[in-house]
Amino acid sequence: MKRAPIASVAVAVAAFAALVSAACGPRSAKWPVIDPALGPAPPRAETPGSTATANVTRPRFTWTLAPGTDGARLELCRDENCKQALEIVDGATNAVPTQNLPTGVVYWWLRGKQGTRVGAVHSPVRRLTVEAWTEHAGRNVQIAAPWEEQRAAEALAKLGDQALGFFAQVFGRPLPRTPIPIFLYGTPNGYSDALRELGRGRHVHAFAFTAWPGVAHLPFYPRVGRPLAGGPGKLESALLHELAHTYQVTQFQHYNDEPLWLREGLAELLAERVFEIDEGPSAATLPPYTARILAVRDALDSHRFIPLKELFDIERDLLAGDVAVEKAGVFYAEAYSLLAMLDSPANPERQKKLRAFLHDELALSGFLLAARINRRFRALFGEPAALERELVSWIRAQPVLEWELKAGDLRLLDGGGLMLDTASDQRSLVLEQTPASGEFAVDAEIERDADGAREAMIVIGYRGAKDFYVVDYIDGGRILLAHFDGKWTRIATRGTGANLLPAETRIKLSVEVNDKHVVASMNDQEMLSADLPTAPAGRWGIGCVDGHLVFHAAKRRNVNPPTADAR
């Protein structure tokens, strides 16, 4: 694996500290006194540092042996209590894993050895972040992704090449002379380091960014299991949004002087139009774009809509400095919606006029470019007040998926369920598109990964973000039945005294609803039974708190299917 092209300051500091330590020799601090009955004393860990980042999948671990020992055992784990060991390697004063370490956080410690005897006491636990890369070159893009995601990198490179061909057609410009680099970060720390070092003051909430001279940076969305065939989600939409920026940076010398609303709205629109090549007109109802329409509707209903005259005049990057992230979301949603309306095939003459505007006007340069482009836009498409009235009517009429969440990622599940990975906090929730009421059951099969997942939830009677019932299976041995209406009301709870969500184990969850009566089961064993104050009516779903669950199946069934005679 190649080293990551972006050197973290933390990595450099850790490397310097390791160099100084090696030059100065072992530290003079005394070794802790270990009861001889516990075996050889643990060594002192040297490198990697206690919070280091490794850009290779098999880094070298070094240590200094305790007196009276002749070797050490290195234990690499996925959790800090080492309930799940990744690998155990013996060595004299250093060792290299024999298998590639997974992207993310790896914990490690050392035990002393004397001959074949291994000490019972280990050194203090250290944390290592692994951010190693695989690279795949398309015709016009170069993808760097987490090393495990080779297939994803190939698929994304193909999608990127398709997008660039479409962008070149829209703008009447050539394809880039050299492949456009796109970096997909596998860890939050890797992306935040890049944002801090290359983002030129962008806000920490920026979901992706393009750096000079046309290089795209974004996290590898999503952080939950999703097959590549699951349909375009946040990963693909964010990548194409940034690729639209990077392509224009390579084609238009004064791109950053264009109006901000036009840059961001057009990047979103171009991404959606690429999906439309394969998905048809229904691409506009994909979660990222449905979320934009819903955001504008919500802004209209809550009096947070940004008047178009004000929208056109915003020239400061809304994700830089101390700004209202909520307002930034409305800004992006309105900018996309305005251009989507103008580019609608329902009005072919206006769509043709918009495409000509993009072809001709964005190649301009010179003094007060943003103001000149805005004046030309108003001359072609009307003054802000008239456009705003039309936009509001268009927004109200758009077909969108009827969910309340602002969805990030989407995956279709067996039985018609939808997994929605929300962009704001990476919480996942599955909701069926059709309501369920009366007598029914929700069955699911899940698997927790090694990083955690503190809770798994089955949602019943979901009628909105502030009106639903939930059965919560909580790691540590507790099941909870509760209602949320802006505040949580506990209806029933049961402690089981056992870990309900063991890692890497398939678990069957089931909740039966018979009018007001609810029975929650796990692996076919009844765990909780209680009555609701009112019968649930709404969608069913299943989700998790931190995104670290793989959903193998989720479906609804009738509790008492009708017999042939009854039918």
Side-chain angles (χ1 to χ4, degrees), residues 359-376:
H359 183 281
D360 299 334
E361 304 301 324
L362 299 191
L364 295 175
S365 62
F367 187 61
L368 296 177
L369 180 60
R372 290 163 54 205
I373 289 178
N374 276 337
R375 283 197 299 271
R376 180 59 177 161

Side-chain angles (χ1 to χ4, degrees), residues 215-296:
V215 181
H217 302 264
L218 62 154
F220 186 82
Y221 295 112
R223 295 183 182 87
V224 293
R226 179 178 60 86
L228 294 175
K234 187 167 182 62
L235 173 63
E236 293 85 355
S237 62
L239 183 144
L240 292 192
H241 178 106
E242 291 308 315
L243 190 58
H245 284 311
T246 55
Y247 174 74
Q248 292 177 81
V249 166
T250 66
Q251 298 297 318
F252 303 119
Q253 182 179 0
H254 300 281
Y255 176 66
N256 287 331
D257 295 327
E258 294 173 11
L260 181 62
W261 73 268
L262 183 60
R263 279 184 281 147
E264 296 300 340
L266 185 57
E268 196 78 345
L269 177 68
L270 290 172
E272 185 235 292
R273 293 299 189 251
V274 172
F275 292 135
E276 201 168 278
I277 296 171
D278 294 326
E279 304 283 334
S282 64
T285 64
L286 289 170
Y289 312 109
T290 286
R292 297 299 194 200
I293 300 298
L294 291 175
V296 180

